[in-house]
């Protein structure tokens, strides 16, 4: 009997970058369905010659009924929606349970989140808040108005770290540190997004990340190069020496 495959993918991975098993399933399917064929993944599949058919039902129960009925007669793949299709898996389970010999249902993971993928979500949320039609308060802020919050959030992180040091196994204080680090990260994202709007000298969060990566690689040649530094004292001395060299080479201020 044909089966119903629910293809789950990460929205943080480029559309079309799928596992081998996912591509094999798509090639073998009789029918590939999606809620919106104008989403990134259906468009990417169409570019690769996979026909994707839109499904008209919006309610999870109606969508589930159509998917199960389709899987009775043909190998069917459902392309998961970006919102995760709330309620659909439960509705499919209900539909299949009503049948004496229902189709086999399989969840196939087509792509996995990359490490740090939620940082992309944070950047996207920050951009949405700052963009036209977003949050008026966020849009009104500048570096000057935000500066006090950096100190405030840094102090709260410092206090949360102290609590973790005092009781490292307490889940509540570890949760508090997680939350406070997120607040401090928000300030980094916020200032980078404000800077991106500067008319003459813009920079964005990618520039901030690139500068950090370059600095970490440059100041750790014992890891990323041919230098030798084995003790903590040697590593610290190497870092300070490279930092001093950078400071001497700069003309617009001291190195951080």
């Amino acid at each position: 009997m044909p089966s119903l495959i629910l293809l789950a993918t990460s929205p943080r991975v480029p559309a079309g970058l799928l596992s081998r098993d996912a591509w094999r399933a798509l090639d073998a399917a009789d029918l590939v369905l999606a809620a919106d064929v104008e989403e990134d993944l259906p468009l990417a599949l169409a570019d690769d010659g996979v026909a994707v058919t839109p499904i008209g039902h919006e309610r999870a129960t109606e969508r589930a009924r159509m998917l199960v009925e389709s899987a009775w007669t043909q190998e069917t793949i459902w392309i998961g929606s970006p919102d995760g299709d709330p309620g659909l898996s439960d509705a499919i389970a209900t539909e299949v349970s009503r049948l004496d010999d229902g189709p086999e249902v399989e969840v196939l993971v087509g792509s996995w989140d990359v490490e740090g993928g939620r940082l992309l979500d944070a950047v996207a949320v920050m951009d949405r808040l700052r963009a036209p039609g977003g949050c008026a308060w966020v849009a009104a802020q500048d570096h000057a108005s935000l500066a006090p919050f950096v100190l405030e959030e840094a102090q709260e992180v410092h206090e949360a770290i102290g609590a973790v040091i005092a009781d490292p196994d307490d889940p509540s204080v570890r949760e508090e540190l997680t939350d406070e680090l997120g607040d401090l990260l928000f300030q980094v994202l916020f200032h980078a997004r404000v800077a991106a709007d500067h008319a003459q000298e813009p920079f964005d969060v990618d520039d901030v990340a690139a500068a950090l990566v370059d600095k970490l690689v440059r100041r750790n040649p014992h890891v990323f190069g041919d230098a030798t530094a084995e003790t903590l004292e040697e590593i610290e001395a190497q870092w300070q020496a490279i930092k001093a060299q950078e400071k001497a080479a700069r003309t617009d201020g001291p190195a951080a």
Side-chain angles (χ1 to χ4, degrees):
M1 175 181 292
S3 63
L4 171 60
I5 295 176
L6 307 178
L7 183 61
T9 60
S10 169
R12 303 170 192 91
V13 174
L17 189 61
L18 302 174
S19 66
R20 180 180 298 179
D21 288 343
W23 279 113
R24 286 174 176 169
L26 288 164
D27 289 339
D30 299 309
L31 183 63
V32 179
L33 298 169
D36 184 357
V37 295
E38 296 301 318
E39 294 285 355
D40 290 344
L41 181 53
L43 287 174
L45 294 178
D47 287 342
D48 284 313
V50 177
V52 182
T53 302
I55 189 171
H57 302 295
E58 295 185 0
R59 294 179 57 188
T61 53
E62 296 172 348
R63 188 174 290 173
R65 187 175 302 113
M66 180 176 179
L67 290 173
V68 172
E69 289 175 355
S70 173
W72 267 101
T73 58
Q74 51 193 339
E75 191 77 10
T76 302
I77 292 183
W78 169 252
I79 304 298
S81 305
D83 64 358
D85 298 312
L88 181 60
S89 59
D90 289 342
I92 290 174
T94 299
E95 285 296 318
V96 172
S97 68
R98 293 173 179 169
L99 305 173
D100 293 332
D101 187 21
E104 179 181 348
V105 180
E106 174 189 358
V107 176
L108 177 59
V109 179
S111 61
W112 290 262
D113 274 348
V114 296
E115 187 175 2
R118 296 312 300 267
L119 286 173
L120 299 178
D121 291 346
V123 172
V125 168
M126 182 69 250
D127 189 62
R128 178 69 181 87
L129 289 170
R130 181 79 174 180
C135 175
W137 184 89
V138 170
Q141 303 310 304
D142 56 21
H143 291 305
S145 65
L146 292 172
F149 296 113
V150 176
L151 293 177
E152 177 183 331
E153 299 300 350
Q155 179 61 37
E156 291 179 358
V157 167
H158 184 269
E159 293 172 0
I161 290 173
V164 168
I165 292 173
D167 192 353
D169 297 325
D170 185 339
S172 65
V173 297
R174 300 189 71 82
E175 182 179 353
E176 180 68 15
L177 178 56
T178 300
D179 186 64
E180 296 299 345
L181 287 171
D183 289 344
L184 188 57
L185 174 61
F186 177 53
Q187 293 304 310
V188 174
L189 298 175
F190 210 151
H191 279 277
R193 184 61 182 82
V194 169
D197 292 332
H198 193 274
Q200 285 76 41
E201 296 291 338
F203 65 84
D204 59 19
V205 69
D206 283 335
D207 296 312
V208 173
L212 173 61
V213 170
D214 290 346
K215 179 184 292 185
L216 292 176
V217 171
R218 192 171 59 246
R219 293 189 184 178
N220 289 279
H222 61 294
V223 177
F224 301 103
D226 298 327
T228 300
E230 297 181 354
T231 68
L232 298 182
E233 292 76 13
E234 289 173 342
I235 294 172
E236 173 67 19
Q238 174 184 258
W239 178 283
Q240 294 300 333
I242 295 172
K243 180 177 178 179
Q245 293 170 5
E246 294 171 353
K247 181 177 180 179
R250 288 170 64 107
T251 59
D252 58 346

